[in-house]
Amino acid sequence: MTSPTAPEPAYAAVPPPGCPAHAGGLARLYGPEHAADPKATFAALRTQGSVAPVEIAPGVEATLVIGYQSALEVLRSPERFSKNPRRWQALADGSVPADSPVVPMMMHRPNALWSDGEEHARYRSAITDTLAQIDPNELRGHVEECADILIDRIGPDGTADLLSDYSAMLPMLVFNRMFGCPADIGDKLVFGMSRIFDAEADAEKANQVLTEGGIELVALKRREPGADVTSWMMAHPARLTDLEMLHQLALLMGAGTEPEQNLICNALLLLLSDDRFAGDLAGGSMPVDEALDEVLWTDPPLANYAVHYAIQDTEVDGVEVPAGRPVLVSFTAANTDPALSGERRAGNRAHLAWSAGPHTCPAKSAARLIAAVAVEKLLDRLPDVELDCEVEQLEWRQGPFHRALTALPVRFPPIAVTVPAATDETSGDTEWNPKPAPSSSTPQDATSTARGPVSAKAAPRRWWRFLAVWRRGR
Ligand code: HEM
C-alpha cells in the first residue's frame, strides 16, 4: 500500500495501445482529441480494467472509475470514500497549483457536494426540503412560457443556434424565476459556473464572478424575501449562514443550469441526427422520452465527476487506490460498460447520469421535467427543424467534466409571430409562486398563440452571445 502522505501511482502508467488521447503519458481527459471522441479514450482505458489512471488537466492526475459495478462501489461506500477535497494531497502539498483550471470544480466549499456525514445531511436536507416546495405543474407551465419566448425570438429567422439561443438560455430563465434572481445576478452565477466547467485558464476569474453573484443574491433575499427557492432555503430549520447560503445557491444554480442545457442540447442533437427518430419528431412525448433516456445512458451531461477521496489506501476491482488522490467516476464510461448488456439498458433508468449513493442528484425529477418540456415545446413549435451542418462538423467543449456542444446550428421554415412580448422574462423579478391574479393590467403570458417577435427579437442578447463566441474561440 502507498502512504497517504506521499501517494504514488499504484499502476504502471503505460498508455494502452492506440489510445488517441495519450501524449506519451497518462490518458488525457481534456483537450481536443478527447473532446472529439471520448468513447475512444474509454475504449482504450478499458484494456486496463474498470479503474484506470488519467490526467484531468496538465499535471493533475486522478483515478478514473470506468466500470459500472466499480462506480457503484465507490458511490455507495461513504465509509471508504470521502467527498471532502481537503483530502486532496497534491493540492495541499502544492504539486497541483491552486490556479490549475480544474481546481474551481474540485475545491472545497461548504456545500452538500463537498461534505460528508452529518454536515452533508444538514445541507442536503435544506436542499431537498426546499426543492420539494416546487410545484411540478407550475414548473412545467413556466418552462413552457420561457420556451415560447425564446422560440418567438428565433422563429422568424428560420435559422438558430439551439445552444446559445435556446438550450443555454432556457434553464437560466427558469432558474432566475425559481430562485427569485434578477437577471444581472443570474448572469453572473450562470456565466461563472459555465466557465468553471470548461476548466480553462480563466476558471479562477470565473469563480470570483460566481461568488460575487451568490453574495449579491443572498443579500437581496435577506432584505426582500419572496416566494422563491432562495427565500425558502433561508427559512429552513437548518439555519444556513450567509456563507453557507451562498455556496448552496452556487451549487444549485451551477449544478442545475450547465448540465440542464447540455441535456437539452444533446437530446435535440440525437433527435435531429439519428434516423431512428426521423419523421417522428412531432409525434408526441414518446420519442422525446426515449431520446432523453438514451442521452442519459450514452452521453450524460456530466461525463466524469463525482470526485471522491479514499479515506485510507484501498482498492477497487484489484487496483490500488491511494488515499489523497482524486477518484473520479466516469458516468459515461460506466453507463456504456460492455459488461451491461443492451437489454439491461433498454427501457430502464439505472444509468448513473444522476450519480448514485448519498450524493445522487436531488433534483433529477425537476431536471428531467425541464428538459422534456424544453425539447417537446421546440419540436412542437418548429416541427420541420433540421440540422444546418453535418454532425461531424459539430464541436464539443473541452474539459474533463462535461459533455457539451459549442453550438447546434439548425434551420427551419420561419414561423410568423404576431403579438409583441409584454414581459421581460429574463428579469426573474417575478415570484415563483403564486402568480398574480390576471387583470387587464396584468401582462399577457407568452403562449404559442400570443407571443412577441420583433421587440423580443430586438432585445439585447447579453452574455450568452458573448459566451457562444468565446466558446468557439473567436
Ligand atoms: C440535466 C440536469 C442535471 C444533471 C445531469 C445532474 C446530475 C448530477 C450529478 C451527476 C450529481 C452528482 C455529482 C457529484 O457527486 O459530483 C448531481 C448532484 C447535484 N445536483 Fe444535479 N443534475 C442536474 C440538474 C440539477 C438541478 C436542476 C439541480 C438543482 C435545482 C441540481 C442540483 C444538484 C445538487 C444540489 C447536487 C449535489 C447533491 C449532493 O452532493 O448531495 N441538479 N447532479
Side-chain angles (χ1 to χ4, degrees), residues 259-272:
E260 191 74 55
Q261 80 173 38
N262 296 325
L263 179 57
I264 296 169
C265 213
N266 296 357
L268 284 168
L269 170 61
L270 179 67
L271 284 158
L272 298 180

Side-chain angles (χ1 to χ4, degrees), residues 143-155:
V143 180
E144 287 180 348
E145 284 173 24
C146 295
D148 271 323
I149 287 167
L150 296 174
I151 297 166
D152 286 343
R153 286 185 173 184
I154 57 175

